[in-house]
Amino acid sequence: MRYALRLLLIATIVSAGTFAIADDAATLARLDELLPAVASFEHGQNSGPLNDIEQIVFSLAPDSKLRGPVEAKLLAALQSATTRDGRVFLCGQLQVVGTASSIASLEALLTDADSSHAARSALGRFEFPEAAEALHRALGKTSGKLQAGILHTLGDRRHQAAQPDCIRLLGSADPDVALAAARALGLLGGEDAVRALREARPAAAGPLAAEIDNGLLNSAAQLASAGKADEAAAIYESFYQPSQPRQLRSAGLRGLVATRPAQAGRLLAEAIGQEDRDLSRYAISLIERASGAEATKAFVGILGSLPAENQVLMLRALGVRGDSAAAEAVAAATKSEDQNVRVAALEALGSVGDPSSIPVLIQAAAAGGRGQEVARRSLLLLPGKEIDPQLVRAMSEGSAAERAEAIQALAGRGVSQAVGRLFESAADPEEQIRSAAIAAIGVLAGPADLDRVVQLAAAARDPQSRAAVVEAAGKAFRRFADPDRCAGAVLAQLERGPADARPALVRLLGKSTADRAIVSLRAAAKDADPAVREAAAQALAQWPDARVTDDLLVLIQSADRQELKELALQGYLRLALVSDDPTAMYLGVMQRVTQTNDKKLVLAGLGQTAESPAALQLALQTLNDQPLQATAGLAALRIANRLQNRDESLARAALRKVLEVVDHDDVRGRAREVLNDMDKYQDHILKWVGVGPFTEKGKDGAAVYRTAFAPEKAGVEGIDWQPITKGIGSWDINLEATYGGLDYVAAYVRTRVWSDSDRDALLELGSDDGVKAWLNGRLVFDQWNEGGIAPRQKRIPVKLAKGWNDVMLKVVDQQGGWAFCCRIRQPDGTALEGMRVELP
Amino acid sequence: MAERVRQTRRGFLRAGAAALGAPLFVRSYAHGQGPNDRIVMGGIGMGGQGRGDLGGFLGFPFVQVVAVCDVVGRHAQLAKDMVDQRYGNKDCRVSSDFNEITRRPDIDAVLIGTPDHWHAVISIEAMKHGQDVYCEKPETLTVREGRRMVEIARQYGRIFSGGSQRVWGDYHWFHQMVRGGAIGDVKEAWVNVGGPSGPCYLPPVEKPDDVDWEGWLGPAPWRPYHPSLIAGGFRPFRDYSGGGMTDWGCHTFGGALFALGLHETGPVEIIPPDGKDHPQLTVRFANGVQIYHGGGWDGILNFRGTEGEISEKGDRLGNRRSPPEIYIPNYKGQGGIFGDFLHCVRTRELPFRDIERAHRTATVCHLGNIAYWLKRRLKWDPVREEVVGDPEANRWLERPYREPWYLS
């Protein structure tokens, strides 16, 4: 079974509580049954018992009283295990639930080349100090790779008592051991470890040298975190030398920045100025670690002298660092000849900038180009309480584009104090400023501004401004969260406002979503003014919930213009999709639409969501309407498909009706396929003879699949075919019932099928895992796959000969279940009448 | 510059690499003024995924791949053929020992496309030797590996980019919708990826001559050869992988975490499915956000906010609207995630899939696996990175390697 299915399996297991340990005695008894299989287990054998043991062991709760007995049984099994694979498995189980009681048994395996790693894996992860002591004892009883492995684990556990041995073994002639000792010393740390590593370093080469360097760096980090900055710095200093490879220089520099903070700015500025680009740029990435005005001064002091690429990086790093003392230098960089430097400077101003940065950023934002987006972002990020008032002042300074940028920044920054000025700007003669102000009002206006927002809608003169105001006001209404009050304000304005403002106000009324707005929209839909009627239809069509369903139905039926009817229908169908009873809605509207295209829309919606007999009936009734036939047929088959579990006979009848009436091939094909799928458990062949099991030592399921055993070899006689009498389900055959719960195994099965004539047919197979098929001695399917069984997994076109036809299958199991199913159908998947089956 | 060349050569000789017959080049990128400003790369783990990535890097005119490595001879040969065809010569070196690449001082960066159980060891060896790393996801096999990879990358100043192109490439619409507030305050997400890995009991199979089986196993427990393991079929097995949970999980949990701004922290609780209150594995964060493994209503990634729900298709009605126009820092440079990595090799900036983010994402996946395996709730301390009050669960955070392998 593939891992993609494991999630489902686990969810099923957990939800079903299959492994809930309801009966402790039964669990232990089950373990007694399973554990003997482990003693002699080797890869490739039946892994079922091991899987079951793992489920028991892994499922033990921390406070389970079964833990002691289970551990005892695992330990007893470990003593009697005769194979490497068996011991490794048991060590793995002890790693999960083992206690100090397991240490002695595991320690004994540390010296065994085949089991040492498994035992160390358990001991290395045990939280008990005794486990580390056991590992330490084994150090003296091992050599070579086993000893190296133990040294690594002692290091990982920070077992300080092992330090003298590590120092001793640092001089080992075995390179694996010496390297492991160096690594362990680095992890253990301390003055003795540092001294030993330093002394060993001059004579070391290759991987050992690299590991000693790494160990010294680890030790330095420990010293630094223990407050011994000078000792740590001395180590870092030794690596921050021109003679060292770049990675060690980098490590040394980083360590010095951390341990000598007062010198960090100078150190980094020097490094940034170096020719080695890797080191220079790494140093730039470290400047956020150097704080203080002196460091900032050092960094901005070299900014202009750097190559443009490094200026870009430096500016970004200064931005991350966020010290406003760099603002002036960064602002100067916005005038650079290099565009990348300018853009980086604009970005950095977002975090280091001050009020003086505002004009720079606004101008860059208004100028467009690459800097626009960055400048806009920086305007939103500029820190400090003086920024917002300065931006308000900028609303009335500079070009229209610059003033619009200031407004946009105020909206983005959420400066609600600017709302009063925004209403003034919303009447500005410049369209650019008006648009920005209206959008900003949508974001910033508060409940106290409600009347002014509504007046704005009434005052808007051109269609573009009206649409913008309605959109912005709708946004504000949602934020106010007081639909009735919003509706009241709009209605009041409708009463006293100018006539030409009424369409915009009616649309705005729809944004309120208040009950009383619906009443008014209903009236507006009958208004004498066509523009008001259209606005009402739009508002109702965009209404967010089902309260307007009946109003939309009225419009669909009686609106005076076809486009308004269509608008209402679209709104209605949108609501039907999310309705609790979509069928009722579709049925309700179908009687009211007259246009063919509208009817198609309703039928398509019906097919998309409905699953009631009434919906099916409606679709079927429409089948005889030729222009609607294809859409109705599609809807009917979709509804039938959803309905089949509730009323199979109704679904079948509907599908047959579609096949009978509809003359569109695509729809007919889909209907037939739904019927075929409903019949997927029918007519499977359950009479078989079989022979097996067949395995190949050292081969997995895929290899067994490829291997030709006697039944598939030509001319082989004397094969002992036996009737299959076990594991016969209603549609499938479980081969494990006949041949056992084996893995990586094949069986062959045969049967014969009568055909009244030479004819085309479809051989439908399902299998767990792979299946190969022959018809009358000719191979007709040969494609290995793994996975569980289901009907109709493979559909193979074949030709049946008149008379008896011999069918042979080879069914191969990889791991887990082992089963197959087979039936023969007409080429279109429907039942094959008159077919007979008997044993060969 | 002359001094640098001399010292680099000395270091190279000290490392013993001269015995490998590698050319005595210095890294071309290190000096910044090298021929065509090229970045010299090596490829390690050249199976299907590795060769796919290799093809991506070969598409950059300033990248020069000089060596490839795989424990399966035919994989290495196919990779060499790709490289040689690209450059019109026969110069690409081939080996089955990754050290022959990680210890070459003329190589600036390595591409690692091995199975998961090798990622940490090889990445750290490369970084320790001064190379930058592009490593396929899942970047780690355990939580402790991930933390150590972060420490090493930072200590040696190396660039590490994980290989999940989907977090930004596939899911950026989600990020803009969620971070832009288009569906309100988001407290729930669903990630539909495969489940955890399990034990491996595949039968022993005779090993072909061109496979270095010890080299394939490396730090993993010993087991006999099986062909499906070297053919990409290792993912179901715990010794080599976290299964679908970490495979696509590192993409899609990564996407959920990034959208929710949780990509550089960790959860506080992981609850396995219980068939009752928690139908799916639930990953809970300190801010109340919950990410579920499985469930949802459509596709691989779903979010629910106070003002709407989204899947890849859009809202529940299938309307996929334009996201808010907000800027979210993403790839630098040109050319997707490969270009992002190469850009950062040059600039020393952190790439989009920096190892800290990769590690945090993989940690969520690993913790999910542990909760599945042990079938119990885990309380997680995202700062100390350990399970609280459950020492046995903490046993799963690391795995002692088979001798003589180790993490520096």
Side-chain angles (χ1 to χ4, degrees):
Chain A
M1 183 181 293
R2 286 166 295 184
Y3 71 84
L5 302 175
R6 286 180 193 273
L7 173 61
L8 182 61
L9 175 65
I10 285 172
T12 307
I13 287 168
V14 173
S15 61
T18 305
F19 286 91
I21 301 168
D23 185 337
D24 293 353
T27 301
L28 294 175
R30 177 71 180 140
L31 209 51
D32 286 336
E33 280 175 33
L34 297 166
L35 279 169
V38 181
S40 57
F41 177 76
E42 291 183 326
H43 283 98
Q45 293 176 351
N46 179 16
S47 58
L50 280 67
N51 287 321
D52 290 352
I53 291 168
E54 180 173 305
Q55 286 295 336
I56 292 171
V57 171
F58 281 38
S59 301
L60 288 172
D63 59 352
S64 169
K65 60 186 178 185
L66 279 180
R67 289 184 147 248
V70 167
E71 184 181 16
K73 287 181 185 300
L74 292 171
L75 285 169
L78 185 61
Q79 295 300 325
S80 59
T82 57
T83 60
R84 167 188 191 146
D85 294 340
R87 283 193 295 273
V88 168
F89 170 80
L90 291 163
C91 288
Q93 303 307 299
L94 289 168
Q95 176 253 304
V96 179
V97 293
T99 66
S101 304
S102 296
I103 291 174
S105 297
L106 292 167
E107 182 182 352
L109 295 176
L110 287 171
T111 54
D112 173 44
D114 284 346
S115 310
S116 182
H117 175 231
R120 181 162 55 83
S121 287
L123 288 170
R125 294 194 262 193
F126 280 2
E127 56 277 18
F128 321 109
E130 299 93 321
E133 290 161 10
L135 286 160
H136 193 184
R137 283 193 293 275
L139 201 56
K141 303 172 191 168
T142 50
S143 61
K145 287 185 169 60
L146 296 193
Q147 191 177 44
I150 291 169
L151 277 166
H152 284 310
T153 304
L154 286 167
D156 289 334
R157 296 194 59 126
R158 311 294 196 271
H159 187 61
Q160 292 294 343
Q163 193 190 65
D165 286 319
C166 292
I167 291 173
R168 176 175 57 81
L169 291 169
L170 184 58
S172 170
D174 185 310
D176 289 327
V177 172
L179 189 149
R183 175 180 175 273
L185 284 171
L187 293 168
L188 296 175
E191 290 177 13
D192 291 344
V194 170
R195 189 179 311 112
L197 290 168
R198 276 185 160 157
E199 286 173 5
R201 181 63 181 84
L208 177 60
E211 202 49 50
I212 289 176
D213 290 339
N214 191 61
L216 285 167
L217 287 166
N218 283 343
S219 299
Q222 289 183 40
L223 289 167
S225 59
K228 298 179 179 178
D230 288 344
E231 290 93 325
I235 295 174
Y236 291 129
E237 188 79 53
S238 70
F239 287 111
Y240 187 52
Q241 299 295 326
S243 59
Q244 293 284 10
R246 65 183 181 189
Q247 69 275 15
L248 292 178
R249 286 190 80 187
S250 298
L253 176 61
R254 185 171 185 268
L256 286 172
V257 168
T259 53
R260 290 182 176 162
Q263 300 168 33
R266 180 187 55 79
L267 266 171
L268 287 171
E270 285 173 7
I272 290 166
Q274 296 218 2
E275 190 182 344
D276 183 328
R277 188 164 71 175
D278 187 289
L279 184 73
S280 166
R281 293 184 174 181
Y282 178 59
I284 292 173
S285 77
L286 292 179
I287 69 168
E288 64 174 305
R289 291 167 170 265
S291 57
E294 280 303 308
T296 305
K297 194 175 169 185
F299 300 144
V300 300
I302 60 168
L303 181 61
S305 65
L306 298 175
E309 285 184 346
N310 284 9
Q311 282 191 50
V312 170
L313 297 172
M314 190 73 168
L315 285 162
R316 287 184 192 152
L318 285 168
V320 172
R321 199 164 166 274
D323 184 353
S324 60
E328 189 179 336
V330 172
T334 64
K335 311 294 182 200
S336 167
E337 292 178 2
D338 187 292
Q339 187 186 41
N340 292 328
V341 173
R342 290 199 303 273
V343 172
L346 290 170
E347 187 172 6
L349 277 183
S351 54
V352 303
D354 55 23
S356 70
S357 310
I358 290 176
V360 176
L361 290 170
I362 283 182
Q363 284 166 21
R370 268 190 63 201
Q372 182 177 60
E373 188 192 352
V374 174
R376 285 177 172 171
R377 204 160 61 236
S378 288
L379 281 166
L380 302 187
L381 296 172
L382 272 175
K385 57 185 178 185
E386 297 165 15
I387 301 297
D388 293 345
Q390 181 70 25
L391 274 171
V392 172
R393 283 192 285 278
M395 286 174 68
S396 51
E397 294 167 2
S399 67
E402 289 169 0
R403 292 165 64 195
E405 291 295 338
I407 291 169
Q408 195 173 322
L410 286 163
R413 294 175 70 93
V415 185
S416 54
Q417 301 90 320
V419 169
R421 292 288 305 279
L422 288 173
F423 279 106
E424 293 170 22
S425 297
D428 196 281
E430 291 281 353
E431 192 277 331
Q432 201 173 1
I433 294 173
R434 280 203 312 275
S435 295
I438 289 168
I441 287 168
V443 176
L444 296 176
D449 303 309
L450 174 59
D451 288 339
R452 281 205 289 179
V453 169
V454 175
Q455 284 161 16
L456 198 60
R461 285 290 166 267
D462 59 288
Q464 195 179 347
S465 293
R466 279 180 191 150
V469 172
V470 170
E471 199 55 40
K475 200 180 280 186
F477 281 8
R478 283 199 293 280
R479 212 173 44 257
F480 298 166
D482 189 349
D484 198 61
R485 184 167 165 256
C486 292
V490 180
L491 288 169
Q493 190 64 36
L494 261 173
E495 280 181 18
R496 62 174 178 265
D500 64 350
R502 291 178 66 220
L505 289 168
V506 166
R507 286 196 59 207
L508 185 55
L509 192 60
K511 302 288 184 186
S512 75
T513 72
D515 283 337
R516 62 167 155 162
I518 298 175
V519 177
S520 300
L521 289 175
R522 200 173 288 150
K526 297 172 186 166
D527 196 275
D529 183 346
V532 172
R533 291 204 299 276
E534 182 175 343
Q538 284 175 338
L540 288 168
Q542 291 171 10
W543 196 268
D545 56 47
R547 283 176 289 167
V548 299
T549 304
D550 291 341
D551 298 291
L552 289 170
L553 279 175
V554 169
L555 278 175
I556 290 164
Q557 198 165 19
S558 57
D560 60 338
R561 284 155 50 201
Q562 180 58 26
E563 56 264 38
L564 297 190
K565 289 182 177 179
E566 288 172 8
L567 192 64
L569 179 61
Q570 285 165 10
Y572 184 91
L573 295 177
R574 179 177 56 78
L575 293 175
L577 274 177
V578 291
S579 164
D580 291 336
D581 188 2
T583 300
M585 288 189 66
Y586 291 120
L587 292 176
V589 74
M590 193 64 175
Q591 301 156 3
R592 290 174 164 82
V593 291
T594 54
Q595 303 290 314
T596 299
N597 280 344
D598 292 349
K599 287 181 178 178
K600 283 184 178 178
L601 282 175
V602 177
L603 285 168
L606 195 71
Q608 205 171 339
T609 58
E611 52 183 297
S612 69
L616 184 58
Q617 190 61 29
L618 173 62
L620 292 174
Q621 280 170 356
T622 321
L623 283 180
N624 291 323
D625 188 339
Q626 195 59 34
L628 297 176
Q629 190 182 75
T631 313
L634 202 56
L637 74 89
R638 284 176 168 168
I639 298 166
N641 194 19
R642 283 193 289 270
L643 200 58
Q644 60 173 289
N645 291 333
R646 285 168 46 200
D647 192 338
E648 185 181 333
S649 62
L650 184 66
R652 283 182 183 279
L655 291 162
R656 281 195 293 270
K657 177 85 172 171
V658 170
L659 284 171
E660 181 188 317
V661 176
V662 175
D663 59 4
H664 295 262
D665 288 346
D666 177 53
V667 177
R668 288 167 59 83
R670 290 198 204 191
R672 194 177 296 113
E673 186 52 30
V674 175
L675 265 176
N676 290 344
D677 204 55
M678 289 172 72
D679 290 339
K680 64 186 172 189
Y681 293 110
Q682 293 181 7
D683 301 334
H684 279 88
I685 299 169
L686 302 175
K687 290 180 185 174
W688 296 89
V689 294
V691 60
F694 294 92
T695 58
E696 277 274 280
K697 188 170 174 54
K699 298 282 177 63
D700 70 345
V704 168
Y705 185 86
R706 289 191 299 271
T707 303
F709 298 101
E712 62 181 289
K713 288 181 178 171
V716 176
E717 294 183 355
I719 296 170
D720 186 20
W721 295 101
Q722 294 292 326
I724 290 180
T725 58
K726 298 177 186 172
I728 301 173
S730 61
W731 58 278
D732 63 335
I733 311 284
N734 175 10
L735 291 171
E736 290 189 334
T738 301
Y739 302 113
L742 305 172
D743 293 334
Y744 321 114
V745 63
Y748 292 83
V749 294
R750 280 181 60 206
T751 192
R752 63 178 191 162
V753 177
W754 175 266
S755 173
D756 290 331
S757 61
D758 291 340
R759 61 184 306 161
D760 291 330
L762 200 62
L763 178 64
E764 295 190 345
L765 302 173
S767 60
D768 181 355
D769 291 284
V771 64
K772 199 180 278 195
W774 292 261
L775 178 64
N776 296 325
R778 192 172 71 85
L779 184 65
V780 293
F781 183 79
D782 182 3
Q783 190 176 326
W784 166 250
N785 72 286
E786 295 179 38
I789 182 173
R792 310 184 77 212
Q793 288 170 320
K794 293 103 185 173
R795 301 174 207 179
I796 308 140
V798 294
K799 287 185 182 299
L800 291 178
K802 182 178 180 183
W804 287 107
N805 292 266
D806 191 81
V807 178
M808 184 172 82
L809 308 177
K810 177 184 186 180
V811 186
V812 179
D813 178 37
Q814 174 78 342
Q815 283 184 306
W818 184 20
F820 74 98
C821 64
C822 172
R823 68 177 187 174
I824 297 178
R825 310 286 282 181
Q826 294 199 70
D828 65 1
T830 54
L832 187 63
E833 302 298 334
M835 195 186 74
R836 283 185 287 143
V837 176
E838 68 176 36
L839 294 180
Chain B
M1 186 179 286
E3 175 67 11
R4 168 76 185 174
V5 173
R6 191 170 67 249
Q7 294 304 337
T8 305
R9 282 184 175 173
R10 191 161 67 217
F12 180 29
L13 291 167
R14 196 166 57 223
L20 306 174
L24 290 178
F25 293 147
V26 292
R27 290 187 174 95
S28 67
Y29 172 67
H31 304 283
Q33 309 302 321
N36 304 318
D37 209 10
R38 64 183 182 150
I39 294 173
V40 179
M41 290 188 68
I44 300 168
M46 293 287 103
Q49 186 65 47
R51 294 200 301 279
D53 291 346
L54 179 67
F57 282 111
L58 287 172
F60 289 83
F62 54 85
V63 166
Q64 185 180 4
V65 178
V66 297
V68 292
C69 163
D70 200 292
V71 293
V72 179
R74 62 181 180 278
H75 293 171
Q77 186 60 45
L78 286 168
K80 171 180 166 56
D81 292 346
M82 284 174 68
V83 176
D84 288 347
Q85 185 177 10
R86 165 72 176 78
Y87 299 125
N89 59 34
K90 299 287 182 189
D91 293 349
C92 181
R93 301 278 182 122
V94 185
S95 79
S96 62
D97 179 359
F98 69 86
N99 288 307
E100 293 186 23
I101 289 180
T102 57
R103 293 177 191 167
R104 270 181 68 166
D106 61 315
I107 291 180
D108 299 299
V110 292
L111 152 66
I112 299 174
T114 64
D116 313 356
H117 65 285
W118 265 117
H119 287 171
V121 172
I122 298 175
S123 293
I124 286 179
E125 282 304 299
M127 292 191 283
K128 200 173 75 179
H129 286 87
Q131 294 170 341
D132 298 321
V133 173
Y134 179 93
C135 178
E136 259 305 324
K137 60 88 207 144
E139 292 84 348
T140 70
L141 188 64
T142 68
V143 174
R144 292 284 179 262
E145 282 185 346
R147 180 46 58 202
R148 188 58 184 152
M149 289 158 82
V150 174
E151 290 169 354
I152 288 284
R154 301 294 184 259
Q155 173 164 287
Y156 290 114
R158 297 301 97 198
I159 302 303
F160 182 107
S161 172
S164 173
Q165 76 285 5
R166 298 185 189 279
V167 172
W168 181 258
D170 284 14
Y171 306 143
H172 62 267
W173 179 78
F174 285 112
H175 305 326
Q176 288 173 295
M177 291 292 286
V178 173
R179 291 190 176 199
I183 55 170
D185 190 18
V186 181
K187 292 289 187 188
E188 291 179 292
W190 286 260
V191 169
N192 276 295
V193 296
S197 52
C200 177
Y201 303 117
L202 292 170
V205 174
E206 190 176 343
K207 184 183 78 64
D209 289 341
D210 78 334
V211 174
D212 173 4
W213 183 237
E214 278 292 323
W216 190 90
L217 286 172
W222 188 89
R223 60 145 291 125
Y225 170 76
H226 191 280
S228 70
L229 294 175
I230 63 163
F234 60 88
R235 293 217 182 277
F237 305 120
R238 195 184 291 139
D239 286 340
Y240 324 110
S241 172
M245 189 73 181
T246 59
D247 179 15
W248 267 80
C250 275
H251 289 312
T252 315
F253 275 104
L257 294 169
F258 188 73
L260 295 163
L262 296 167
H263 52 290
E264 291 187 352
T265 181
V268 294
E269 191 171 22
I270 302 92
I271 308 165
D274 58 8
K276 295 177 291 182
D277 301 334
H278 300 282
Q280 297 99 24
L281 180 104
T282 301
V283 183
R284 186 176 286 165
F285 291 79
N287 62 358
V289 166
Q290 297 194 137
I291 303 178
Y292 310 107
H293 178 221
W297 53 93
D298 182 63
I300 198 165
L301 185 56
N302 299 168
F303 291 92
R304 175 179 292 156
T306 51
E307 294 175 27
E309 299 171 326
I310 49 171
S311 69
E312 286 166 298
K313 291 178 187 164
D315 62 19
R316 288 277 190 152
L317 303 179
N319 300 318
R320 188 176 156 112
R321 59 182 157 130
S322 297
E325 288 184 10
I326 59 164
Y327 172 74
I328 302 173
N330 55 84
Y331 296 149
K332 304 176 183 76
Q334 301 293 319
I337 196 166
F338 297 138
D340 180 56
F341 169 67
L342 296 169
H343 172 92
C344 294
V345 168
R346 286 176 158 163
T347 65
R348 316 314 293 171
E349 293 173 286
L350 293 182
F352 180 76
R353 181 78 169 188
D354 172 54
I355 180 60
E356 177 72 36
R357 291 179 179 180
H359 160 60
R360 291 292 192 170
T361 296
T363 295
V364 167
C365 303
H366 296 321
L367 293 174
N369 272 343
I370 296 169
Y372 274 128
W373 290 329
L374 300 183
K375 304 177 182 64
R376 61 182 187 248
R377 284 180 183 227
L378 307 175
K379 298 273 187 190
W380 180 248
D381 181 335
V383 177
R384 297 172 63 88
E385 296 191 319
E386 61 185 31
V387 182
V388 180
D390 190 344
E392 287 182 1
N394 278 319
R395 294 178 185 179
W396 289 93
L397 301 184
E398 62 186 321
R399 304 182 189 183
Y401 293 153
R402 191 165 65 101
E403 55 277 353
W405 297 104
Y406 61 96
L407 280 190
S408 280

